[in-house]
Amino acid sequence: MQDNLFDNTEIAFKDKSIFDLYRGYFIFKIISFPRIVYISKFILSFKLFYPLTKLILKSTMLKQFCGGQNEDDCKEIINDLNARYVYSILDYSVEGLENEVSFDETVSRTINLIKLNTNNNFPFIVFKPTGIGRFDLYEKISSNTNLSEKENIEWSKVKSRYDAICNAALANNVSVLIDAEESWIQSSIDEIYENLILKYNSEKAIVYNTVQSYRIDRLEYIEKLYHSFSTSDVHIGIKLVRGAYMEKERERSKVFNYLDPIHKTKKDTDESFNNCMTFMFKNAQLFSVFIGSHNEESNYLALKLINKYNIIKDKVWFSQLYGMSDHITYNLSNQGFNVAKYLPFGPFKGVIPYLFRRAEENTAVEGQTSRELFLYAKEIKRRNHSKL
Ligand SMILES: Cc1cc2nc3c(=O)[nH]c(=O)nc-3n(C[C@H](O)[C@H](O)[C@H](O)COP(=O)(O)OP(=O)(O)OC[C@H]3O[C@@H](n4cnc5c(N)ncnc54)[C@H](O)[C@@H]3O)c2cc1C
């Protein structure tokens, strides 16, 4: 495998018109200025400017990072991705209310998305744990706090929601990705996941838990899973990411005066990501790995490990967010690897926080925006030269 596989911008941006390329360049340029992102957020809080900002965001950020307002809006993008052997993972990116009605609605919506898989064209669905259960309840279970009788009933309902989703997924040959959120609710989710492994993951990994490598204890967690299940006839599905809540995690550990659960430096997080990945590839008879990352080095390492340990195609998935790191996505799919894009959708108002999170993430993550800008500029230049 070439060491410069991801440098090919012709493959990465094959579907984009020159106008799309300039728009992409413009968007990443704008969000490279933290102040502009901050001011836009401020302006949007005034209802008076809402129609204008809506119009601007719709033709820029929404087009770059979202599929549309509903499943039908996403169809064209899904087909375009499919034509290049990239699957879509539809991600309803609207935060619902914290009540039982909203939790049940999330389950119905997720099951409806599962049923879209009529032709093995939607191999994954995703949901957030707090979309189907109350944050405080997860936190109580995670901290071993005694539950009231009412809370015990509520917790049983949460667990049966996981079951309902996994049952539908198994029946439709879809795998389920359980997103990871804050560390202080994660152990309750890990516990649910371990029970789901036994119930659903005997033939293949139907359920995947998410491991955030920025946490100092996650390699240990993966090793623990290995020791618990190495003699059972099951598959452990793990979505490996770096983690999206670093500032919040650090702040909370300071406020409540406990050990910061996050690695001290970016380098340590990178090392932890690569160590987790290496451990799982070494034990690929047990682990199915879903790599959610825009990091080139980690993706290159994955390719080396796949080669080194002779990992079969079905055991590994690569994934990036829609609108980001197309150079990784399309160059991998072009080589025949399993690749999927997270494709967020939802009513405009509901996806605004998602759009700003993407903008802030691109502003905060050193190097990410400048890399996107470099790639867009490179392809614009290449096309203009090829016309001469
Ligand atoms: C398909 C997909 C699914 C995802 N699902 C989830 C999910 O379920 N839960 C979740 O939390 N996130 C999720 N993410 C987001 C992910 O955790 C990262 O925030 C994001 O992808 C950036 O990491 P990277 O590997 O792509 O790239 P990079 O740019 O190489 O890494 C940036 C990341 O490094 C870490 N980091 C940055 N600075 C420091 C520092 N000073 N010290 C320690 N660590 C640092 C942070 O985690 C930061 O997000 C997902 C991402 C993708 C692509």
Side-chain angles (χ1 to χ4, degrees), residues 89 126 128 178-181 210 212-214 239 241-246 250 262-270 273 290-296 298 319-321 340-342 358 361 365-366 368 371:
I89 304 177
V126 59
K128 277 198 160 35
I178 306 171
D179 268 353
E181 300 177 76
T210 299
Q212 297 157 312
S213 76
Y214 67 9
K239 172 169 67 135
V241 300
R242 280 181 167 71
Y245 305 88
M246 184 174 74
R250 293 214 198 282
I262 307 301
H263 281 296
K264 288 229 160 10
T265 64
K266 168 77 164 66
K267 192 169 163 278
D268 292 341
T269 295
D270 292 347
F273 188 98
F290 183 103
I291 301 161
S293 175
H294 302 134
N295 184 294
E296 285 178 15
S298 294
S319 185
Q320 293 77 40
L321 306 183
K341 283 279 200 197
Y342 259 43
R358 288 293 74 78
E361 186 181 280
V365 178
E366 206 181 297
Q368 192 139 298
R371 194 187 51 202

Side-chain angles (χ1 to χ4, degrees), residues 45-245:
S45 60
F46 291 100
K47 286 210 165 64
L48 186 64
F49 298 111
Y50 184 73
L52 179 65
T53 11
K54 182 175 173 177
L55 192 74
I56 295 171
L57 281 177
K58 259 190 147 172
S59 50
T60 54
M61 294 283 286
L62 203 77
K63 265 211 145 59
Q64 179 75 22
F65 297 115
C66 287
Q69 309 226 25
N70 52 47
E71 294 86 332
D72 278 347
D73 286 355
C74 298
K75 271 188 184 147
E76 204 181 315
I77 294 175
I78 293 169
N79 290 339
D80 289 348
L81 291 168
N82 262 340
R84 301 199 53 202
Y85 307 103
V86 175
Y87 292 90
S88 303
I89 304 177
L90 288 168
D91 182 13
Y92 188 73
S93 296
V94 179
E95 274 153 40
L97 299 172
E98 265 216 314
N99 61 44
E100 300 291 294
V101 175
S102 174
F103 297 148
D104 288 336
E105 272 171 14
T106 304
V107 174
S108 309
R109 191 177 312 106
T110 309
I111 291 176
N112 286 338
L113 289 177
I114 288 172
K115 288 181 182 159
L116 290 180
N117 189 37
T118 48
N119 210 7
N120 283 341
N121 45 348
F122 290 100
F124 286 95
I125 58 106
V126 59
F127 71 89
K128 277 198 160 35
T130 53
I132 62 169
R134 210 159 44 81
F135 190 97
D136 287 352
L137 192 61
Y138 282 115
E139 189 179 357
K140 275 193 173 173
I141 306 272
S142 299
S143 58
N144 292 321
T145 307
N146 284 336
L147 299 188
S148 67
E149 207 173 309
K150 201 172 151 213
E151 284 170 331
N152 267 317
I153 296 170
E154 195 186 342
W155 186 238
S156 300
K157 280 191 188 159
V158 174
K159 288 194 283 191
S160 61
R161 290 189 190 108
Y162 280 84
D163 248 333
I165 292 173
C166 293
N167 249 318
L170 183 66
N172 290 277
N173 194 29
V174 171
S175 288
V176 177
L177 302 166
I178 306 171
D179 268 353
E181 300 177 76
E182 289 82 349
S183 63
W184 58 99
I185 63 165
Q186 188 61 41
S187 52
S188 57
I189 298 152
D190 293 345
E191 199 182 310
I192 291 180
Y193 172 64
E194 282 154 43
N195 289 320
L196 296 173
I197 291 179
L198 294 170
K199 210 162 164 188
Y200 295 99
N201 285 7
S202 49
E203 294 287 312
K204 68 175 225 182
I206 286 288
V207 201
Y208 286 66
N209 199 12
T210 299
V211 161
Q212 297 157 312
S213 76
Y214 67 9
R215 284 186 53 180
I216 52 179
D217 62 351
R218 289 293 92 174
L219 177 58
E220 218 174 281
Y221 171 65
I222 290 180
E223 287 168 350
K224 190 198 110 190
L225 283 177
Y226 172 81
H227 291 299
S228 309
F229 292 101
S230 59
T231 53
S232 321
D233 208 6
V234 293
H235 298 261
I236 302 176
I238 295 291
K239 172 169 67 135
L240 181 63
V241 300
R242 280 181 167 71
Y245 305 88

